[in-house]
Amino acid sequence: MASRRDLANAIRALSMDAVQQANSGHPGAPMGMADIAEVLWNDYLRHNPADPDWVNRDRFVLSNGHGSMLLYSLLHLSGYDLPIEEIKNFRQLHAKTPGHPEYGYAPGVETTTGPLGQGISNAVGMALAEKVLGAQFNRPGHDIVDHQTYTFMGDGCLMEGISHEVCSLAGTLKLGKLTAFYDDNGISIDGEVDGWFSDDTPARFEAYGWHVIANVDGHDSGAIKAAIDAAHAETSRPTLICCKTIIGFGSPNKQGKEDCHGAALGVDEVALTREALGWTHGPFEIPADHYAGWNGVEKGTAAQTAWADQLEDYRAAHPELASEFERRTRGDLPEDFSANADAYIQECQDKMEKVASRKASQNCLNAYGPMLPELLGGSADLAGSNLTIWSGSKDVSADNADGNYIYYGVREFGMSAMMNGIALHGGFINYGATFLMFMEYARNAVRMAALMKQQSIFVYTHDSIGLGEDGPTHQPVEQLSALRSTPNLHTWRPCDTIESAVSWKSAIERRDGPAALVFSRQGLAPMPRTTQQVANIGRGGYVLKDCAAPQAILIATGSEVELAVNAADELAGQGIQVRVVSMPCAEIFSAQDADYRDSVLTPTIRARVAVEALHADYWYKFVGLDGRVVGMRTFGESAPGDQLMKEFGFTVDNVVANVIEAIG
């Protein structure tokens, strides 16, 4: 039987071999953390390689994602469907083993990591999801939601500001089933970190309210095991285990140095490392007894079977709850959601209310919320401004997680990355809100949601210079262009209550990516529509106001749709026929078939003017180089919103002038 060190050395060997063959990668972290991983995965981690999606599995997140070969080695060795050929194919095109762990490539990869700090943030979100889901479904004697979240992280994760945001909140919310392992090796790519990272990390986490286990020898399996036992014994606080390790452990000439952080060891050093570790096997060669020592299929299947029996007992005692639990963890919507949502959309059209779209958004939550027990909302402060609390909202707190609303505090980036963790965990449809301007703090997490195809719903209010007196620091200009340029993100900017209701329905029903819902502070006039026009909103862009023989097309979104309609009326009075197109979601419109797109933006009508109180440049893809854009080309100013609209040219007269100029 292979020893613990032998089993850990299998990770070291695979990691250095794969990086050497690719001639790129990061061997240092996998080699340094191999002993910790061996203890955790073989003695504690509840998972089933035969069913990577088992609902009640423990979650493992490699936050220092550059050490990806650690994770790939663990998955391969423990029996996941990740054959040795994929290990050999590390970092190659279309491999299941890309340079950083990518969700959806290899089974067992719980999240995409690479941007440092986001893995620990995802893990906090997963741990919070476990706590809330358990509070909602567990009953005395029936803990069907009961699993741990583990994460590995390095000093880079801790230097990133997002780690402060989420770890502070994790302590406040008492996420007792979260255990983080800090790989304290003192090395980053630039060398010894003492010159730029001198924090007292244990004291920092104690201040957050964490249980801290300091000075653990990360190469002593007994010490690691004792630390994990102590972490599990503390159920009211998350635990940080600070592990002293040697980066590149086993490499005679490069261990403990930055030389092994982000580059292959080299052929000669790999040979020397084999000798130093007593590893007598060839490249990518793992002995049968090592595979036997690692294989987790039998133990994982037994654990899942035992849990399935628990679920059956739960079903007998609480049949309705069991049915709801299974629906939610499958990700299925209630059967009648779509029809009920459509009825609400029509109700909005019939009422024709003039309200700010942020208020329209809250009305949507009041309508859809009772239909969706899986709805889990929140805001990075500003809940009273972005109107994300609805009539059925119930706070999630440290001592009572049986709620559906999270006060994230002023943590836009942390909130957004935690939302991705909640989405990855499953069982919820989650949304989180801030002002549109402050998506800047969170942009990378929004990008990660799109990259991972996760259903995070980002709610952004106060959407333009119409915000007014708070001035240009709070007035978004270029942010919507950034959102729209993000692949796989649907960005909605609705013009009234009806489009707001459609945007929420679309975001809720979408299962393969995130949505950004962008709402106004100021009141927006409702637009009259036919039944067909209401149906066409869901296609992202549609003809809102037409004429017999249009000479020009006006394209607008959000608060500027009313302006475009008024300008079209003025032009009609001058004998100029203009079509008005509302385009609340340009990405969905662009994905429609060519016939539909051409029916809205008729190719022969070259006189086109886009109107939006945000950055102008985005719209040239729709108006063409010979078209016009009434938009922003500078930052805003501090003044009442109506004055700013006039100051920056968002007037009927200016839109009319641009249309006439476009017609020529």
Side-chain angles (χ1 to χ4, degrees):
M1 177 64 74
S3 68
R4 284 196 179 275
R5 179 55 55 84
D6 289 336
L7 295 177
N9 285 344
I11 295 173
R12 296 184 171 105
L14 285 176
S15 296
M16 68 180 182
D17 287 344
V19 173
Q20 187 61 47
Q21 179 150 303
N23 198 31
S24 75
H26 298 75
M31 297 173 74
M33 300 190 78
D35 296 303
I36 309 168
E38 189 278 322
V39 173
L40 177 63
W41 276 61
N42 282 326
D43 288 11
Y44 295 95
L45 192 73
R46 286 208 318 162
H47 66 120
N48 186 3
D51 185 3
D53 298 323
W54 172 30
V55 169
N56 201 45
R57 69 190 181 280
D58 291 342
R59 271 62 169 180
F60 175 79
V61 174
L62 184 70
S63 190
N64 47 339
H66 53 270
S68 57
M69 268 310 306
L70 173 69
L71 179 55
Y72 300 145
S73 298
L74 289 165
L75 295 172
H76 169 73
L77 291 166
S78 61
Y80 285 81
D81 184 16
L82 192 67
I84 195 68
E85 289 74 23
E86 291 292 346
I87 304 296
K88 294 178 180 178
N89 210 27
F90 177 57
R91 286 185 163 231
Q92 305 309 300
L93 184 63
H94 302 313
K96 293 182 179 180
T97 50
H100 291 80
E102 301 283 352
Y103 179 80
Y105 282 61
V109 175
E110 297 283 2
T111 182
T112 298
T113 55
L116 293 177
Q118 288 206 61
I120 173 63
S121 305
N122 295 162
V124 171
M126 292 173 183
L128 178 57
E130 191 275 344
K131 183 169 183 172
V132 176
L133 197 66
Q136 292 180 353
F137 283 101
N138 290 345
R139 295 295 183 269
H142 299 281
D143 290 337
I144 59 162
V145 181
D146 183 13
H147 52 265
Q148 303 286 325
T149 301
Y150 302 101
T151 183
F152 283 7
M153 58 185 182
D155 43 48
C157 292
L158 295 181
M159 282 186 261
E160 290 286 358
I162 192 174
S163 70
H164 163 72
E165 295 183 27
V166 301
C167 292
S168 168
L169 188 56
T172 298
L173 294 175
K174 299 179 181 179
L175 301 182
K177 293 181 181 177
L178 171 65
T179 302
F181 296 81
Y182 168 33
D183 181 30
D184 184 10
N185 60 33
I187 298 293
S188 71
I189 287 179
D190 281 350
E192 297 180 6
V193 302
D194 290 349
W196 51 88
F197 184 58
S198 59
D199 300 14
D200 185 340
T201 297
R204 169 184 164 188
F205 276 75
E206 286 171 355
Y208 293 152
W210 284 55
H211 172 221
V212 177
I213 304 170
N215 297 311
V216 175
D217 183 345
H219 302 296
D220 182 338
S221 57
I224 298 164
K225 190 172 176 64
I228 299 173
D229 286 339
H232 286 177
E234 174 55 73
T235 59
S236 63
R237 295 179 292 169
T239 295
L240 177 71
I241 301 175
C242 301
C243 299
K244 295 288 186 180
T245 65
I246 300 170
I247 191 171
F249 182 94
S251 171
N253 299 301
K254 295 187 176 183
Q255 70 174 18
K257 302 175 182 177
E258 63 270 23
D259 297 9
C260 66
H261 190 295
L265 297 180
V267 173
D268 292 342
E269 189 67 14
V270 166
L272 291 171
T273 304
R274 274 184 155 75
E275 184 178 346
L277 293 174
W279 188 262
T280 59
H281 317 289
F284 304 103
E285 180 183 330
I286 306 295
D289 64 332
H290 288 59
Y291 276 123
W294 271 107
N295 195 290
V297 173
E298 183 177 350
K299 186 166 60 175
T301 300
Q304 185 172 352
T305 300
W307 177 82
D309 291 341
Q310 287 181 289
L311 183 61
E312 286 306 310
D313 292 341
Y314 179 75
R315 191 190 320 278
H318 307 282
E320 291 184 4
L321 278 173
S323 178
E324 183 70 359
F325 173 77
E326 291 182 306
R327 178 189 70 78
R328 285 176 53 174
T329 53
R330 286 195 306 268
D332 295 340
L333 287 171
E335 289 184 3
D336 56 355
F337 173 76
S338 184
N340 288 338
D342 286 342
Y344 175 70
I345 292 165
Q346 187 57 52
E347 181 184 325
C348 291
Q349 186 65 65
D350 294 340
K351 283 186 177 179
M352 295 283 285
E353 290 182 301
K354 181 177 181 177
V355 298
S357 55
R358 63 171 174 164
K359 178 61 180 175
S361 170
Q362 186 180 50
N363 292 343
C364 292
L365 290 170
N366 280 319
Y368 297 153
M371 308 177 197
L372 299 168
E374 58 264 53
L375 199 62
L376 180 64
S379 180
D381 211 51
L382 301 172
S385 293
N386 55 45
L387 302 184
T388 46
I389 296 175
W390 59 284
S391 59
S393 292
K394 182 181 177 184
D395 301 352
V396 172
S397 68
D399 299 322
N400 185 7
D402 184 11
N404 60 8
Y405 196 86
I406 303 162
Y407 288 92
Y408 286 100
V410 188
R411 299 181 175 97
E412 296 90 355
F413 193 4
M415 173 187 73
S416 303
M418 284 177 62
M419 287 168 59
N420 293 341
I422 292 169
L424 288 159
H425 180 277
F428 298 98
I429 295 172
N430 79 133
Y431 67 90
T434 185
F435 287 4
L436 177 57
M437 183 64 241
F438 303 128
M439 59 74 58
E440 290 289 354
Y441 286 127
R443 186 185 294 186
N444 197 265
V446 177
R447 181 180 188 270
M448 294 295 282
L451 181 63
M452 293 190 287
K453 302 181 173 116
Q454 291 305 297
Q455 189 193 28
S456 293
I457 302 175
F458 303 103
V459 179
Y460 301 125
T461 65
H462 299 63
D463 68 343
S464 74
I465 59 169
L467 165 62
E469 292 89 341
D470 280 338
T473 63
H474 283 52
Q475 294 165 5
V477 172
E478 72 276 26
Q479 285 64 42
L480 213 57
S481 294
L483 291 169
R484 287 171 173 151
S485 66
T486 303
N488 198 42
L489 174 65
H490 289 176
T491 300
W492 287 84
R493 188 173 184 243
C495 76
D496 61 5
T497 59
I498 300 89
E499 288 189 357
S500 298
V502 174
S503 71
W504 265 108
K505 177 176 183 273
S506 175
I508 289 167
E509 291 185 335
R510 188 183 187 206
R511 314 305 287 185
D512 61 353
L517 309 184
V518 180
F519 299 116
S520 73
R521 179 191 186 188
Q522 69 272 33
L524 305 182
M527 296 291 124
R529 297 176 183 85
T530 66
T531 301
Q532 187 58 55
Q533 286 175 312
V534 172
N536 286 343
I537 296 172
R539 305 186 77 166
Y542 63 102
V543 178
L544 176 64
K545 182 180 176 66
D546 211 358
C547 50
Q551 298 166 261
I553 299 175
L554 274 167
I555 309 168
T557 76
S559 52
E560 288 70 68
V561 169
E562 180 183 7
L563 173 59
V565 169
N566 291 341
D569 289 341
E570 176 66 24
L571 287 160
Q574 300 179 28
I576 300 172
Q577 300 298 301
V578 176
R579 173 182 294 168
V580 178
V581 170
S582 177
M583 196 174 292
C585 186
E587 301 81 38
I588 293 178
F589 175 76
S590 296
Q592 302 301 305
D593 62 83
D595 287 346
Y596 179 77
R597 296 197 309 271
D598 289 349
S599 74
V600 176
L601 300 177
T602 304
T604 55
I605 304 175
R606 306 292 293 176
R608 301 179 183 181
V609 177
V611 188
E612 188 176 60
L614 291 127
H615 204 289
D617 283 1
Y618 174 83
W619 288 103
Y620 286 103
K621 65 185 287 184
F622 292 110
V623 302
L625 294 178
D626 52 349
R628 303 287 186 272
V629 181
V630 179
M632 295 294 295
R633 292 174 173 83
T634 68
F635 296 115
E637 295 283 352
S638 179
D642 57 346
Q643 294 181 25
L644 292 172
M645 289 298 188
K646 184 177 180 180
E647 172 72 15
F648 288 99
F650 298 98
T651 64
V652 169
D653 288 347
N654 190 40
V655 174
V656 166
N658 273 271
V659 171
I660 292 172
E661 185 177 330
I663 293 173

